[in-house]
Amino acid sequence: MTDDAFIITRLQTGEEDAFKFLFDSEYEKLCRFANCMVHDSTAAESIVDDVMLNIWENRNTLNVESSLHAYLTRAVRNRCINELKARLRRMASETTELKLNAETEMLEIVFRDDNEPFNELLGKELEEKINNAIATLPKECRAVLEKSRFEGLSYKEIADEMGISTNTVKYHIKNALAFMRKNLDGYLKWTIIAMLIR
């Protein structure tokens, strides 16, 4: 019986000494390997901790076809890849959220009743695009947006005037902004950039 096979057999019978031996002999090497992949020592240690804990918790069904070191290295590698994928998803999500927040803020500026002339802020071309987009909104949604933007009414005032709830007004404003953001995507990007560099 090879050393690995002996250790695996002892692990499968629940001998903690076998697990401690495996942990002591592999932990630091695995942490160094993980850190080379994720470039974060804390995350690397957490990954290796999870792998080692998983070994112990699933010792009864442990199936190692190669060496224990190769098995552990592969398990750590797979978790590192999952960590890197999760980071990319978080980055993409944060980027999307920042973009949507910026565009929504821009739209809220556009549809707020400011003293600054509308065409001075955005230009005639974008003003035309916005007016065309507003015209395609559903009737009640368009009415809510126009009362908010052009008449400067509060949500409560709009609700009272139209005989609907304040939550319905908020719902229409939210949908209108989402619709406008989608239909004015390219224009908003350039407007936001222009505002940032002014």
Side-chain angles (χ1 to χ4, degrees), residues 27-41:
Y27 187 80
E28 289 187 8
K29 290 182 286 187
L30 293 171
C31 283
R32 287 196 296 271
F33 172 71
N35 193 38
C36 286
M37 290 192 68
V38 298
H39 302 289
D40 182 331
S41 58

Side-chain angles (χ1 to χ4, degrees), residues 150-164:
F150 298 111
E151 298 178 29
L153 300 182
S154 68
Y155 287 177
K156 186 177 185 309
E157 289 171 333
I158 296 171
D160 291 342
E161 185 174 315
M162 296 184 64
I164 57 179

